[in-house]
């Protein structure tokens, strides 16, 4: 008797992917939990072990792991068309909303009520990021050596400003060596349990010359726009800068959304000057209120950067092009990694060395997220933040007389609500936004 479940209709899968795209709030943890509930528990379209194995692979890739997990599972269910549908529907609702928010911000951002809402939301962001540190830390740091690795990663990026890819490489090597010398525990990706049937059955079989075809498509969709921008507009144009920067980010940023934000914030604010630190904080708060990957804050960054360097173009049109271009070059590689790796990932099942490297990377990411939370705290709570340099260090130096007591009160209240009373993310953001509006109106 054939025990393989019947094929899943593509129309049914499409409706589920659209539903996930519309309600995937709460960052990567909430999005992964949502997909697990809908796809593994309720519909049983994919097995538990298959889901976890795919998640481990996606966590090793640069870019947002939740979006890549959706693309991977879509490929599992319906191959290329399924992967494209799942990945695109995961992004599209959030992209539309973030573009609209950016447009509203540049049109009405100076109005009092908009500033009040944004002020409240940026204060709540502090609680969101602190919660992320605690959540990831509890899951990742289960051994003293991993605590030490997280601490070293934090010092490297916070005090010495070492490049994130270098930190990740070092963490992967430490994880691999630590497991090899039995200094750091790790668990390899599990195989199917006895009697478990994959849903659906997956093999490594692919069309002829599959890898070459994927690489050619990737070159056309990702590399060709970059080349045209360089040739037609030059390296100094804002579109070219954004395309090159976000393409680089798509390649070198490992460790999930919060880790990516640390790198993007440093470059977009300090190097390119596309937006100010408070605007970056506000962008993150706004991204938390929309579905889809948290990294879609780059849509907001791309819009503001291009809007302010519009030149002869209409600023709103320029902003729209910047938002679209930034999002395109960031997410095309996400599909590329999945379509290249998915046919071969089954051969990596149970690979101990890969799992050990992942353990080290995950520990380092905790330190990077802690750095992000401190950066946000300083720019939320203080109006002026300088920098102290010496002995090879570069440390932030807040001006204590610029402490914002209202931000301190709202941020503390948000942390108390989320960490102590387990109030939901959206509820906390809405409450802080309302308080910010009241403070703006009556202060």
């Amino acid at each position: 008797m054939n025990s393989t479940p019947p094929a899943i209709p593509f129309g049914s899968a499409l409706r589920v992917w659209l539903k996930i795209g519309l309600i995937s709030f709460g960052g990567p943890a909430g999005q992964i939990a949502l997909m697990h509930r809908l796809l593994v528990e309720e519909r049983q379209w994919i097995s538990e072990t298959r889901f976890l194995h795919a998640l481990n692979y996606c966590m090793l890739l640069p870019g947002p792991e939740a979006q890549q997990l959706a693309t991977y599972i879509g490929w599992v269910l319906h191959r290329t068309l399924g992967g494209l549908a799942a990945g695109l529907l995961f992004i599209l609702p959030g992209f539309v909303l973030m573009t609209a928010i950016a447009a509203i911000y540049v049109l009405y951002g100076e109005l009092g009520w908009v500033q009040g809402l944004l002020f409240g939301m940026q204060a709540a962001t502090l609680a969101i990021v602190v919660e992320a540190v605690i959540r990831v830390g509890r899951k990742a740091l289960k051994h003293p050596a991993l605590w030490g690795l997280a601490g070293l990663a934090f010092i490297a990026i916070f005090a010495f400003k070492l490049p994130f890819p270098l930190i990740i490489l070092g963490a992967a090597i430490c994880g691999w060596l630590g497991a090899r010398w039995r200094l750091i525990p790790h668990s390899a990706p599990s195989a199917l349990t006895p009697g478990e049937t994959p849903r659906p059955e997956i093999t490594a079989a692919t069309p002829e010359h599959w890898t070459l075809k994927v690489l050619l498509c990737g070159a056309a969709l990702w590399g060709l726009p970059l080349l045209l921008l360089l040739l037609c507009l030059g390296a100094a144009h804002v579109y070219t800068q954004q395309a090159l920067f976000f393409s680089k980010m798509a390649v070198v940023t490992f460790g999930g959304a919060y880790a990516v934000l640390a790198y993007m914030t440093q470059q977009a604010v300090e190097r390119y000057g596309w937006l100010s630190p408070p605007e970056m904080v506000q962008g993150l708060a706004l991204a938390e209120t929309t579905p889809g990957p948290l990294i879609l804050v780059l849509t907001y960054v791309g819009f503001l950067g291009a809007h302010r360097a519009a030149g002869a173009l209409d600023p709103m049109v320029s902003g729209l092009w910047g938002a679209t271009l930034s999002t395109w070059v960031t997410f095309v590689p996400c599909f590329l990694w999945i379509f290249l790796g998915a046919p071969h990932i089954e051969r990596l099942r149970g690979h101990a060395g890969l799992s050990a490297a992942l353990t080290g990377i995950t520990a380092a990411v905790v330190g990077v997220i802690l750095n992000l939370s401190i950066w946000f705290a300083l720019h939320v709570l203080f109006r002026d933040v300088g920098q102290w340099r010496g002995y090879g260090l570069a440390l932030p130096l807040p001006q204590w007389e610029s402490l914002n007591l209202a931000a301190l009160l709202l941020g503390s209240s948000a942390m108390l609500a989320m960490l102590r009373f387990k109030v939901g993310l959206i509820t906390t953001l809405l409450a802080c936004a309302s308080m910010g509006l009241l403070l703006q109106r009556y202060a």
Side-chain angles (χ1 to χ4, degrees), residues 20 50 84 99 108 130 179 240 285 318 353 374 389 399 430 438:
I20 290 173
R50 183 72 62 187
L84 289 172
T99 303
Y108 306 110
V130 169
T240 309
S318 180
I374 292 175
R389 291 182 177 272
Q399 305 300 315
L430 291 175
L438 291 174

Side-chain angles (χ1 to χ4, degrees), residues 6 81 89 91 97 106 113 152 156 166 176 190 205 211 235 254 264 268 278 294 303-304 333 354 361 372 382 431:
L81 185 59
L89 288 175
I91 301 166
L97 284 174
V106 299
W113 67 272
L152 288 174
L166 182 62
W176 180 76
S190 59
T211 300
F254 295 82
M264 181 175 67
L294 179 58
F303 189 102
L304 291 187
L354 193 65
I361 290 173
L372 175 65
F382 296 91

Side-chain angles (χ1 to χ4, degrees), residues 132-350:
V133 175
I134 297 173
R135 183 179 65 240
V136 177
R138 284 174 178 170
K139 295 175 62 177
L141 307 181
K142 298 181 179 180
H143 188 274
L146 297 177
W147 279 93
L149 191 56
L152 288 174
F154 169 73
I155 293 171
I157 195 168
F158 178 79
F160 293 96
K161 301 297 185 285
L162 292 183
F164 183 73
L166 182 62
I167 296 173
I168 288 299
L169 177 61
I173 294 173
C174 289
W176 180 76
L177 291 176
R180 187 179 181 86
W181 296 338
R182 300 188 178 181
L183 299 175
I184 299 178
H186 74 282
S187 57
S190 59
L192 290 174
T193 56
E196 182 181 9
T197 302
R199 297 187 59 99
E201 189 68 29
I202 304 172
T203 68
T206 55
E208 188 177 5
H209 306 304
W210 171 257
T211 300
L212 179 60
K213 292 176 181 178
V214 172
L215 287 174
L216 289 175
C217 288
L221 297 174
W222 186 22
L224 188 58
L226 295 178
L227 181 60
L228 291 175
L229 287 170
L230 278 170
L231 294 176
C232 299
L233 300 179
H237 196 279
V238 64
Y239 291 159
T240 309
Q241 288 181 340
Q242 290 182 341
L244 290 174
F245 168 66
F246 287 113
S247 293
K248 178 184 176 183
M249 190 183 74
V251 175
V252 303
T253 47
F254 295 82
Y258 290 100
V260 172
L261 286 170
Y263 175 73
M264 181 175 67
T265 294
Q266 181 186 39
Q267 298 293 310
V269 174
E270 298 177 9
R271 179 179 176 183
Y272 294 104
W274 290 329
L275 69 175
S276 66
E279 287 174 332
M280 187 67 203
V281 175
Q282 292 167 357
L284 178 62
L286 292 167
E288 288 281 7
T289 67
T290 58
L294 179 58
I295 195 58
L296 275 174
V297 67
L298 67 88
T299 304
Y300 170 87
V301 173
F303 189 102
L304 291 187
H307 180 274
R308 289 165 180 171
L313 277 180
D314 178 88
M316 296 300 292
V317 174
S318 180
L320 180 59
W321 275 112
T324 304
L325 178 64
S326 300
T327 307
W328 178 269
V329 298
T330 299
F331 283 100
V332 166
C334 296
F335 290 93
L336 184 62
W337 311 145
I338 296 300
F339 290 142
L340 284 175
H344 311 291
I345 192 60
E346 293 306 306
R347 301 171 190 171
L348 299 177
R349 182 180 293 274

